[in-house]
Amino acid sequence: SVRRTGSFCNEVAMFSITLLCMGKLKEKFYTAAAEEYSKRLRAFADFRIVELPEYRLPDDPNETQIAQGLQKEAELIRAKLPKGCFFCVLTPEGKLLSSEQLADTLRQAKSGGRSSACFLIGSSFGIAPELKKLADLQLSMSKMTFPHHLARVMALEQLYRAEAIQAGSKYHK
């Protein structure tokens, strides 16, 4: 017979990954792809997507209006950041990493005692400068410009790939 004791609770908690996104997905093909990679990612991490509303700006906003909008979005974002998380913003001027380097970055965050990571995809006007300064990593997916909806799918695929690399999965091959 097996005796269960309190030490059973010493199981290591699963690493948590949050993808914060400004705006909602509308097109079914993006939604389907995002759901597929989210499902795959949940095999490796406690994963969730948090969609936040983009601040409504006039059709032809000036710099001041854009800055005000980014500031309002930053308030929403800061409220959703998990405490003590490894925080990464996806931004065109960020650092270019290979999939293996992203996997290693996440591995280092985990071994450094972080229990969670949070990745941010900003609105179509970008991300408030103070959030970029707050980030542990500013990451660029490419020097090319992509629609935000496609960037979400690409980020999900790369997060899944990074976790698969860490696990030694054949997916990355």
Side-chain angles (χ1 to χ4, degrees):
S1 77
V2 177
R3 271 182 80 191
R4 298 188 186 246
T5 64
S7 65
F8 224 76
C9 296
N10 290 341
E11 202 175 298
V12 177
M14 189 179 266
F15 191 73
S16 172
I17 299 175
T18 302
L19 181 60
L20 286 178
C21 303
M22 297 309 297
K24 293 191 177 297
L25 285 184
K26 293 175 182 92
E27 296 87 350
K28 285 184 178 159
F29 57 94
Y30 287 135
T31 304
E35 286 172 359
E36 177 61 27
Y37 285 114
S38 295
K39 183 178 83 179
R40 291 182 185 191
L41 190 49
R42 286 186 187 100
F44 296 106
D46 174 18
F47 175 72
R48 68 190 184 117
I49 292 177
V50 176
E51 292 180 329
L52 298 171
E54 278 190 77
Y55 185 76
R56 290 227 179 248
L57 290 169
D59 285 342
D60 191 17
N62 63 39
E63 289 299 314
T64 303
Q65 291 168 318
I66 292 170
Q68 288 171 340
L70 291 179
Q71 191 57 48
K72 293 283 189 195
E73 290 176 355
E75 291 168 18
L76 292 173
I77 292 163
R78 274 197 302 272
K80 295 295 182 181
L81 285 178
K83 278 196 179 7
C85 70
F86 173 84
F87 180 44
C88 175
V89 296
L90 289 120
T91 181
E93 69 274 7
K95 192 174 181 181
L96 290 167
L97 296 181
S98 68
S99 298
E100 293 86 356
Q101 288 170 317
L102 179 59
D104 197 48
T105 299
L106 283 171
R107 186 181 296 115
Q108 288 173 21
K110 293 172 187 177
S111 67
R114 305 281 183 105
S115 60
S116 65
C118 183
F119 291 79
L120 170 64
I121 298 174
S123 67
S124 52
F125 288 98
I127 297 170
E130 74 267 15
L131 284 177
K132 290 180 183 180
K133 288 179 189 154
L134 183 66
D136 294 292
L137 174 64
Q138 291 185 41
L139 179 65
S140 173
M141 288 194 280
S142 172
K143 291 185 184 288
M144 295 180 202
T145 303
F146 297 102
H148 277 68
H149 303 318
L150 182 57
R152 183 186 304 196
V153 173
M154 292 167 59
L156 286 166
E157 193 281 336
Q158 283 302 298
L159 288 170
Y160 169 64
R161 184 176 297 271
E163 290 297 320
I165 289 169
Q166 292 174 74
S169 160
K170 291 183 194 265
Y171 174 78
H172 179 60
K173 305 286 183 233

